[in-house]
Structures are given as structure tokens and as C-alpha cells.
């Protein structure tokens, strides 16, 4: 509503994530922690953050709604999950069991499981069913504090089926209070029923699907999986060139099992290169010199039982590190960003500031969103609130300290007490 004002507080701490660099290492002493704070919200945006008592004195006689919090609360910017695949049909529990009995992700894919299995299940689902499933999974994310979620297509793998997925994501976005950011991942793998080469398939998608995405305003982001069993760097070159010429933003599934993808991400000035579990010092150095955000996906490492993205090395080389859940039915079924980010921090020796940056403003940058990911005047009033007296408790509990409240655009969208 136009002109609505709210004052929320007092918070023991507001960690605003302001004044921090987009790239490189960050120490916890660099965090701005505002104690005994209140947040004044106007029309869904942060208007002011300061001492609660002062803000209360200034605004209590006005038409400002006062949301008075009892007990200890710590507030962070709403979390941003910059990489998910939560629009899908079916389950891949069988793949998980097979992997844990010794088969590799690539072996399972070659034997007919893997991504193709989910494509088959997704094609069987109606658009409305897919939208409903996406809504249900996104609700789980929002209860864990995520207020912006990227969602990829990539389990349709034909013009019509990719469109069905992107319409389902659009429908889900209209239902949900959180923001879904759609991405077209038609270049996830060569569909097994396609009669032609990888090059033919990519040309068809570029020529026939890209214009539709524009016309129907379904997404402005194009992703590709560069890997053995998916697409090579050479095959993706012309595809990304076309996407760039048409004004799409680029993101890449890069260096997951073998290197090559991160170089393409840099060449095409991608917003992000995601995965990077296989990146060596050479790729890390090149990424750090570029503007590409390196997105670690600890959920995929946990789901596949493999090594984490070399996050410490990326930060020490001066790179920008985001952390995302990669929530998908195959490699990353858990879908709990805060838990995964906390575990990555423990294994990779990341400061709290680096982990929190990776799931707030650095993740927002990976989505090219400059209106969120930190709390300052003019930014979206997307808030995640925990019942604790110190922010360091949040990652210490490794995701087990759940948010008590989540606010989106200045509205309360989740209250654990009422759930
Ligand atoms: O990011 N690596 C490729 N794509 C997804 C997995 C998709 C799947 O296994 O269904 C990922 O891990
Ligand atoms: Fe992924």
C-alpha cells in the first residue's frame, strides 16, 4: 500500500551486509553489526536502520505501524539462492542409492538414469502440476529464510517442454510471496530422442526458443551444462554468442567434473560460473581476474559425496564467491541453503562474513539484482530473523537454528509460531 510505514524492532543485532567488497576475502570484523536496532520500512523498502529507541521516539506519534519484538532477535537480509532446479517431476531416490553403492553420477547417466530420467518424468507432468510442485519446494526454502530463488528449466529439452517448464515457473512465481528468477537451461544435455547432433539441437533452440523467451518475457537468462555427457565448450560457443547478441545474461554449469566451462563463462562475460569442484589454480586465477561470480554448490558435493568447490582458494585469489543450493532431484536433493553454506564454511575455512556474503549480496550480484542482498536505505525490505542474541550463533548451529520470521517487500510472509 502506498505510503505505509512500519518500524520493526528492537533487534539485538541487524547485520546489514553493507560496505563489503564484491570480490575477495572478508573478515568478520568488517561486518556492520547494528545493535539494539530498529528497521523503518516504507512501501516495502528499507527507509532507515538505527537505534530502535530513537526511531520509536520519532515515529510513535505518526501513522507508522510498530512491530514490537519481545526477546532476542537477530536480522539478516533475506537469503538469495542463485541456483536451483526445483521445477521437476518424479524422484531420483534410486540414483542416490546407486551412487551410495558405488556407481558414479556419469555412469548412472550413461545407463539411462540421471538427468534423462527426470526429463521423462517432467514431460509426463502437466504445467499446473509442475507449478504446484515448484510452489511446495519454494515454500520450504522461504521457511528457511530464502526470499529470492533462481529456478532453471532444463528437464523439458524440447521447445514445447522447455516452454511448459518456464510457464510453470512463471505461474509459481505469481502464487508465491518470494521472487523466483527463471533461467533457461535447454542446454542441459542432448535429449535422447533428438534426431540430430548437439550442434543441430543448440541451433534449433537458439533459433526457435530464444525468440519465444523474449516475446513471452519468460526469462532473460541462459545457462548451459559444459561437461562430458553434456555439451563441449566448442559446441556452446555459437549458442552463447547468439544468446549474447539477443541480450540474454549468461550463466554456466562449469568445471563440475572436468575443466573447460569456466573459461567459456569468462569468454562470454557470464554473470556466474557455478559448480567449479574440478577447477584448478589456473581456472581459479582466471575467474578471480574476471567479473564472473564463482558460485559454489555444496548441496551437489553433499548429494554426490564428492569434494567441495575450492571456495577458500577462490576468495584468496580475489574472486567473488556466491553459495547456492543447486536443489535438484538428482545431485542435490537436500535443498537447505543455510545448512549447506554453513558446512561449506566449516570445511573450506570461510569466515562467517564470507559465508553470509555468499548467500546475500554476492548471490544477488550473480543474478544481476542490485536492489537486494543487503539492508540499507532504498533496498528491498527482505528480512530473515532468528531468535538469538548474536549473529555468530546462526552458522554455528549449521542450519539447525531456523528463522522465526521472514519478511518480503516489507510484509511478514512467515511466522514460525503460527506455522
Ligand atoms: O547442477 N550438473 C548438472 N545439472 C544439475 C544436476 C541435474 C540433475 O542431476 O538432475 C546440477 O548438479
Ligand atoms: Fe545445477
Amino acid at each position: 500500500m502506498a505510503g505505509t510505514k512500519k518500524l520493526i524492532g528492537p533487534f539485538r543485532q541487524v547485520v546489514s551486509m553493507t560496505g563489503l567488497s564484491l570480490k575477495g576475502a572478508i573478515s568478520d570484523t568488517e561486518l556492520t553489526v547494528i545493535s539494539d536496532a530498529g528497521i523503518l520500512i516504507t512501501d516495502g523498502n528499507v527507509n532507515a536502520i538505527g537505534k530502535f529507541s530513537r526511531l520509536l521516539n520519532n515515529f510513535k506519534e505518526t501513522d507508522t505501524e510498530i512491530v514490537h519484538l519481545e526477546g532476542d532477535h537477530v536480522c539478516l537480509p533475506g537469503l538469495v539462492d542463485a541456483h536451483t532446479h526445483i521445477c521437476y517431476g518424479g524422484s531420483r531416490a534410486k540414483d542416490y542409492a546407486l551412487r551410495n553403492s558405488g556407481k558414479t553420477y556419469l555412469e548412472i547417466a550413461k545407463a539411462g538414469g540421471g538427468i534423462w530420467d527426470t526429463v521423462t518424468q517432467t514431460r509426463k507432468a502437466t504445467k499446473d502440476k509442475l507449478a504446484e510442485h515448484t510452489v511446495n519446494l519454494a515454500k520450504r526454502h522461504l521457511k528457511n529464510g530464502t526470499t529470492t530463488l533462481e529456478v532453471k528449466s532444463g528437464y523439458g529439452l524440447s521447445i514445447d517442454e522447455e516452454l511448459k517448464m518456464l510457464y510453470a515457473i512463471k505461474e509459481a512465481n505469481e502464487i508465491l510471496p518470494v521472487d523466483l528468477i527463471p533461467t533457461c537451461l535447454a542446454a542441459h544435455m542432448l535429449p535422447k530422442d533428438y534426431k540430430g547432433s548437439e550442434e543441430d539441437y543448440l541451433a534449433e533452440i537458439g533459433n526457435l526458443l530464444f525468440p519465444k523467451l523474449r516475446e513471452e518475457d519468460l526469462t532473460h537468462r541462459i545457462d548451459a551444462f559444459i561437461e562430458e555427457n553434456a555439451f563441449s565448450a566448442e559446441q556452446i560457443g555459437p549458442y552463447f554468442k547468439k544468446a549474447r547478441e539477443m541480450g540474454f545474461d549468461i550463466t554456466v554449469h562449469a568445471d563440475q567434473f572436468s575443466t573447460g566451462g569456466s573459461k567459456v563463462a569468462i569468454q562470454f562475460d557470464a554473470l556466474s560460473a557455478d559448480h567449479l569442484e574440478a577447477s584448478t589454480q589456473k581456472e581459479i586465477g582466471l575467474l578471480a581476474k574476471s567479473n564472473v561470480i564463482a558460485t559454489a554448490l555444496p548441496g551437489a558435493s553433499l548429494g554426490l559425496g564428492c569434494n567441495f568447490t575450492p571456495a577458500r582458494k577462490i576468495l584468496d585469489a580475489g574472486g567473488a564467491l556466491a553459495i547456492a543450493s543447486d536443489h535438484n532431484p538428482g545431485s542435490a536433493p537436500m535443498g537447505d541453503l543455510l545448512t549447506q553454506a554453513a558446512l561449506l564454511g566449516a570445511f573450506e575455512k570461510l569466515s562467517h562474513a564470507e559465508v553470509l556474503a555468499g548467500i546475500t549480496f554476492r548471490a544477488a550480484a550473480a543474478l544481476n539484482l542490485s536492489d537486494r542482498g543487503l539492508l540499507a536505505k532504498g533496498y528491498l525490505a527482505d528480512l530473515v530473523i532468528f531468535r538469538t542474541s548474536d549473529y555468530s550463533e546462526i552458522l554455528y548451529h549449521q542450519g539447525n537454528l531456523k528463522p522465526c520470521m521472514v519478511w518480503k517487500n516489507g510484509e511478514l510472509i512467515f511466522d514460525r509460531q503460527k506455522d
Side-chain angles (χ1 to χ4, degrees):
M1 260 190 293
T4 58
K5 265 198 183 141
K6 283 175 198 157
L7 173 62
I8 311 177
F11 294 101
R12 284 293 290 264
Q13 297 175 333
V14 171
V15 184
S16 64
M17 302 308 291
T18 50
L20 300 168
S21 66
L22 183 61
K23 296 178 74 175
I26 320 173
S27 76
D28 289 347
T29 56
E30 292 176 71
L31 286 172
T32 300
V33 180
I34 308 148
S35 56
D36 304 317
I39 302 178
L40 183 69
I41 295 170
T42 309
D43 297 334
N45 292 324
V46 175
N47 180 321
I49 306 177
K51 287 287 174 204
F52 181 75
S53 52
R54 185 179 58 77
L55 289 168
L56 188 63
N57 266 337
N58 292 348
F59 290 96
K60 70 179 170 207
E61 305 300 338
T62 68
D63 57 358
T64 302
E65 181 192 342
I66 311 290
V67 181
H68 212 114
L69 303 176
E70 301 292 337
D72 293 336
H73 292 84
V74 170
C75 179
L76 302 179
L79 307 184
V80 177
D81 192 338
H83 181 140
T84 85
H85 308 248
I86 59 167
C87 182
Y88 63 86
S91 159
R92 300 247 296 282
K94 249 193 248 155
D95 284 17
Y96 188 71
L98 282 171
R99 280 202 303 277
N100 290 355
S101 58
K103 294 263 180 289
T104 68
Y105 184 69
L106 294 180
E107 281 166 358
I108 294 166
K110 275 190 188 142
I115 295 168
W116 185 248
D117 186 12
T118 301
V119 172
T120 309
Q121 301 303 319
T122 304
R123 286 181 177 181
K124 281 186 200 152
T126 63
K127 169 176 71 64
D128 289 352
K129 269 280 160 228
L130 287 177
E132 187 187 317
H133 188 243
T134 306
V135 166
N136 290 340
L137 291 183
K139 280 185 180 163
R140 266 169 48 188
H141 285 268
L142 93 81
K143 290 177 184 188
N144 286 336
T146 301
T147 47
T148 301
L149 269 145
E150 187 256 18
V151 186
K152 298 175 195 296
S153 66
Y155 294 125
L157 306 190
S158 71
I159 310 282
D160 287 348
E161 292 294 330
E162 284 292 304
L163 284 171
K164 182 178 86 181
M165 288 195 73
L166 288 159
Y167 278 116
I169 297 166
K170 189 175 183 158
E171 198 171 305
N173 187 39
E174 281 158 12
I175 295 168
L176 288 159
V178 295
D179 291 328
L180 302 187
I181 308 296
T183 302
C184 176
L185 178 56
H188 204 179
M189 65 177 277
L190 180 68
K192 292 195 183 213
D193 58 353
Y194 187 78
K195 310 258 179 295
S197 65
E198 278 84 353
E199 288 80 357
D200 296 337
Y201 173 73
L202 293 172
E204 191 175 310
I205 295 292
N207 291 332
L208 302 179
L209 183 59
F210 285 4
K212 278 237 177 267
L213 301 180
R214 279 265 164 247
E215 277 161 36
E216 308 278 316
D217 196 22
L218 287 170
T219 180
H220 51 82
R221 295 167 48 83
I222 301 294
D223 192 350
F225 186 19
I226 298 179
E227 192 52 70
E228 290 163 31
N229 273 21
F231 296 98
S232 69
E234 294 69 32
Q235 287 162 349
I236 288 299
Y239 184 72
F240 276 172
K241 185 164 176 284
K242 169 121 193 153
R244 285 310 252 147
E245 282 165 3
M246 290 183 70
F248 288 99
D249 285 334
I250 301 282
T251 176
V252 189
H253 278 72
D255 300 1
Q256 185 178 11
F257 304 107
S258 58
T259 56
S262 55
K263 204 169 142 199
V264 180
I266 295 165
Q267 187 189 344
F268 286 93
D269 204 15
L271 288 174
S272 72
D274 303 23
H275 275 297
L276 309 173
E277 294 89 337
S279 299
T280 68
Q281 204 56 49
K282 182 173 150 218
E283 286 77 31
I284 292 169
L286 292 171
L287 278 168
K289 268 197 251 145
S290 76
N291 293 322
V292 179
I293 310 261
T295 303
L297 305 173
S301 303
L302 294 163
L304 296 175
C306 68
N307 58 302
F308 286 110
T309 301
R312 181 71 267 148
K313 287 186 181 159
I314 291 169
L315 288 164
D316 287 344
L321 181 85
I323 305 168
S325 74
D326 195 21
H327 192 185
N328 73 70
S331 60
M334 183 210 285
D336 185 336
L337 178 63
L338 193 59
T339 301
Q340 294 164 2
L343 293 176
L344 181 75
F347 278 86
E348 280 291 311
K349 307 295 169 215
L350 308 181
S351 68
H352 285 345
E354 288 164 339
V355 173
L356 295 178
I359 54 178
T360 57
F361 72 96
R362 287 175 169 178
L367 296 176
N368 212 5
L369 297 172
S370 53
D371 59 354
R372 65 194 77 188
L374 56 88
L375 297 174
K377 189 175 170 67
Y379 282 78
L380 296 183
D382 293 356
L383 318 175
V384 52
I385 302 171
F386 297 87
R387 281 217 70 139
T388 184
S389 58
D390 191 272
Y391 79 87
S392 64
E393 297 281 331
I394 298 168
L395 293 174
Y396 167 61
H397 287 280
Q398 299 188 317
N400 207 20
L401 179 65
K402 302 287 183 193
C404 63
M405 269 186 260
V406 181
W407 292 68
K408 177 81 186 101
N409 300 334
E411 301 292 332
L412 180 64
I413 60 166
F414 174 63
D415 183 345
R416 192 162 296 277
Q417 273 187 337
K418 296 192 183 135
D419 190 38

